[in-house]
Amino acid sequence: MVVFGGRSSEHTISCATAGGVLGAIDRERYRVVPVGITREGAWVLEDDDPAALALDPENLPEITDNGTRVHLPDSVRSRTVRVSGTDATGEPATIDLGEVDLVFPILHGPFGEDGTVQGLLELVGLPFVGSGVLAASVAMDKHFTKIVLRDAGLRVGDGVTVTRHRWDAAPDAVRDDALTALGLPVFVKPARAGSSVGVSKVHSAGEFAEAMRIAFAEDDHVLVEGAITGREVEVAVLESRPGERARASVGGEIVMTGVEFYDFAAKYLGADGVDLVCPADLDERRLAELQDLGVRAFEALGAAGLARVDCFLTDDGFVINEVNTMPGFTPISMFPKCWQASGLSYPELITELIEVALAHAAEGTDTRA
C-alpha cells in the first residue's frame, strides 16, 4: 500500500514523489494499492495513475475527497485493508482490497513524516518502509535533531530555538539575542517542516520579524541558524538486511549560481540557478568521511529504511545541517540521484527499500511493526 498526500504544506511534493514511485515500481513483483490522504486527513482510494501526480508548476497535484474511505485492519490479527463507498446504484458498499504485506508511507512533513502515521501503522501491526515513531519524530524536529547528533559527537551548526510564546512576549529581545549570538546573515526556519517551506534568509535586523512570521505560519517553534560558508553536500543512506550496517551512496552537491539558497522552487520546480551535481567532486578521503558521517547520523537517530543527510563542507570539515527520514523521492530529487550514481537505478532503489523492510519484518528485527 503506497500512501501519499497528507495534511502538511508538503502535500503536493508527497503526491509527486508517489507519482514517481508508482511509475517505477516493479509491477511483475508487486500489486499496489494507492491510498491518498486529503489535506483534511481523509484516507481515500486513488486511481493507479502516475501521470495524474506529475509535478507541474502550473497544476500541482492534489488529493481530493472522492467519497471513498480506506480502512486499516481493526487489530493485529489481520492485515486486510478495506474500502467503503457507494456502488453503481448509489448504495453503500465495502470491498476488501486484500492483505497488505507492506506500507510505503511516502509522506513529507507533519502528520506523516513525523511519526504520527508510523504510530498508527504500528498500532495495527502493518510493517512499513522507513523509520519508526522515535526516529521519525526526532529527525522531523531540527531542534531535537541537533541535540541527538551533538550528543553522539557529530558536528552541527549553531542555532537558537524560539517558541511562539517567547516571540510574542519579547520580539525585540529575541531578535537582538539571536543576532548577537549568531551574527548576520541568519536562516529562519520552522523546526518541523521540509522542502524549504517557511524558510527565509535574513540579511538585516529589519528583515527578522517578517521571516519569523513566515516560519511561525508552519510551526510553533522556529530555528534561527547562523549562515555557514561552505559547499552544500548530501549523502543518501539505505538500511541493510538484518545484521548488516546501513550503507551510504556517493555524495551529491547543490551548486547555486543564481539563487541565495536551495528553496522550494529550486528543489522541485526546476528553477534556474541551481545544479545538482552527482557524484560530487570529492576525493576518496572526503567521500569516505561523508559516507561515515551519514551512517553515524542514521544510527544515532535510530533511523530505518532510508534517509538523506545534508551537510556543509567548510574549511574546518563537515557540519551536519539536517537529516530527512523520508527525503524527496521524485526522479529529479537528490536521494535517488545519489543512488543512481552509485549504481542503483530508480526502480531497483524502490525494490531494495521494499525488500529490506520485508526482511526486517520477517526476521522479527523490525521495531516498527
Side-chain angles (χ1 to χ4, degrees):
M1 185 167 74
V2 177
V3 182
F4 50 94
R7 292 175 53 196
S8 84
S9 56
E10 298 175 74
H11 179 101
T12 57
I13 299 307
S14 173
C15 293
T17 296
V21 171
L22 291 173
I25 195 169
D26 187 346
R27 298 303 180 127
E28 293 185 1
R29 300 182 68 170
Y30 309 114
R31 184 167 66 89
V32 179
V33 177
V35 175
I37 302 178
T38 70
R39 290 186 184 272
E40 292 74 38
W43 291 48
V44 301
L45 185 64
E46 279 292 307
D47 292 332
D48 192 354
D49 181 9
L53 300 170
L55 192 58
D56 178 1
E58 302 299 323
N59 186 24
L60 295 175
E62 180 92 9
I63 303 302
T64 58
D65 192 343
N66 58 23
T68 63
R69 289 294 181 270
V70 173
H71 306 281
L72 299 181
D74 56 13
S75 79
V76 297
R77 295 181 180 276
S78 169
R79 289 188 178 177
T80 298
V81 173
R82 298 176 174 82
V83 60
S84 61
T86 55
D87 62 18
T89 66
E91 293 297 315
T94 300
I95 300 172
D96 285 356
L97 296 174
E99 292 191 1
V100 170
D101 300 292
L102 191 74
V103 179
F104 200 151
I106 307 176
L107 297 161
H108 301 308
F111 309 109
E113 188 180 350
D114 59 352
T116 50
V117 167
Q118 290 77 7
L120 176 61
L121 296 174
E122 287 182 3
L123 280 172
V124 297
L126 286 179
F128 55 90
V129 173
S131 290
V133 174
L134 180 61
S137 59
V138 172
M140 187 75 231
D141 192 308
K142 299 174 181 65
H143 169 75
F144 290 104
T145 298
K146 286 181 182 290
I147 292 173
V148 171
L149 296 184
R150 189 182 291 120
D151 189 67
L154 303 176
R155 187 180 171 201
V156 298
D158 294 330
V160 175
T161 301
V162 181
T163 63
R164 188 187 300 274
H165 174 75
R166 184 181 167 211
W167 172 250
D168 290 343
D172 291 342
V174 168
R175 179 199 62 214
D176 293 345
D177 289 347
L179 298 187
T180 298
L182 302 170
L184 283 167
V186 295
F187 284 91
V188 176
K189 58 182 69 172
R192 295 172 295 184
S195 300
S196 296
V197 174
V199 178
S200 302
K201 186 175 183 179
V202 173
H203 305 84
S204 67
E207 298 174 354
F208 194 84
E210 176 61 11
M212 295 294 281
R213 183 194 67 79
I214 292 170
F216 275 126
E218 299 294 329
D219 201 357
D220 63 3
H221 59 296
V222 165
L223 203 62
V224 183
E225 294 181 322
I228 298 174
T229 301
R231 296 166 62 186
E232 292 194 37
V233 293
E234 303 180 344
V235 65
V237 182
L238 279 177
E239 185 179 24
S240 297
R241 265 64 174 177
E244 301 175 5
R245 197 179 188 199
R247 67 262 198 212
S249 70
V250 301
E253 182 173 5
I254 302 162
V255 179
M256 290 172 290
T257 57
V259 295
E260 282 209 278
F261 68 97
Y262 195 33
D263 61 8
F264 181 92
K267 285 181 177 178
Y268 299 109
L269 302 182
D272 295 333
V274 176
D275 291 321
L276 301 185
V277 179
C278 195
D281 183 13
L282 298 168
D283 61 35
E284 288 186 13
R285 180 180 66 85
R286 285 296 193 193
L287 175 57
E289 186 180 351
L290 176 64
Q291 291 172 326
D292 179 66
L293 193 63
V295 172
R296 288 171 62 197
F298 188 87
E299 292 174 342
L301 290 165
L306 70 164
R308 194 192 69 237
V309 181
D310 303 343
C311 304
F312 291 98
L313 177 54
T314 72
D315 292 339
D316 297 324
F318 289 104
V319 179
I320 297 179
N321 183 30
E322 60 183 76
V323 179
N324 290 273
T325 55
M326 186 54 70
F329 213 103
T330 67
I332 66 169
S333 297
M334 186 65 91
F335 183 86
K337 280 181 173 289
C338 283
W339 281 112
Q340 287 164 19
S342 302
L344 201 61
S345 71
Y346 193 72
E348 289 171 336
L349 178 59
I350 296 167
T351 295
E352 181 69 2
L353 286 166
I354 293 170
E355 294 302 316
V356 166
L358 288 172
H360 280 274
E363 289 287 322
T365 57
D366 190 347
T367 60
R368 299 160 294 183

